[in-house]
Amino acid sequence: MAKYMIQATYTAEGLQGLLKDKASGRQEAVSQLFASAGGKVESIYYTLGDYDVIVIGDLPDTASALAISAAASASGLVRTKTTPLLTVPETDRALRKRAKYRAPGR
C-alpha cells in the first residue's frame, strides 16, 4: 500500500460540525472513509496554521486517494490537499533512475 498525507481545512460550517462531533467523532468518520477505500488511518493530528487537521494513512493506490479526497471535499465542509509520501528506500530507488531532462533555454 502507498502512504498519503491529507491536509484539510474546515469551512466555518465544518468547524461547527467538529465542535458537535468532537475530534474523536471525526477520527471514527475518517477511519471509516479510509476503510471504505481499502485503506487504513495511521494517525490524525489537529494543527494550528494553514491546515486544521493532517491525516497520515495507507491506501491501495492513487485512485483511492483521489476518491476519499473528492468525497470529503464534495461535502463542502472541508478542503483537502493530498500528498503521496515516499519512504527512504522508495526515494533511493527513484534517485537511481536517470531521467533525462533538458532545462528551459539549455
Side-chain angles (χ1 to χ4, degrees), residues 74-97:
S75 73
L77 302 179
V78 65
R79 288 180 299 281
T80 63
K81 176 183 175 185
T82 304
T83 304
L85 302 175
L86 287 83
T87 64
V88 170
E90 288 170 325
T91 303
D92 282 346
R93 279 195 304 278
L95 293 172
R96 283 193 293 273
K97 295 182 182 220

Side-chain angles (χ1 to χ4, degrees), residues 25-102:
R26 298 315 310 149
Q27 180 180 22
E28 180 61 30
V30 171
S31 293
Q32 289 176 5
L33 174 63
F34 266 71
S36 73
K40 183 178 180 185
V41 170
E42 177 181 301
S43 57
I44 298 176
Y45 296 96
Y46 283 84
T47 66
L48 303 175
D50 293 337
Y51 296 97
D52 297 316
V53 62
I54 296 172
V55 179
I56 307 292
D58 297 308
L59 290 161
D61 51 35
T62 304
S64 300
L66 175 57
I68 68 167
S69 292
S73 293
S75 73
L77 302 179
V78 65
R79 288 180 299 281
T80 63
K81 176 183 175 185
T82 304
T83 304
L85 302 175
L86 287 83
T87 64
V88 170
E90 288 170 325
T91 303
D92 282 346
R93 279 195 304 278
L95 293 172
R96 283 193 293 273
K97 295 182 182 220
R98 296 292 174 213
K100 296 189 191 259
Y101 171 72
R102 183 184 61 79

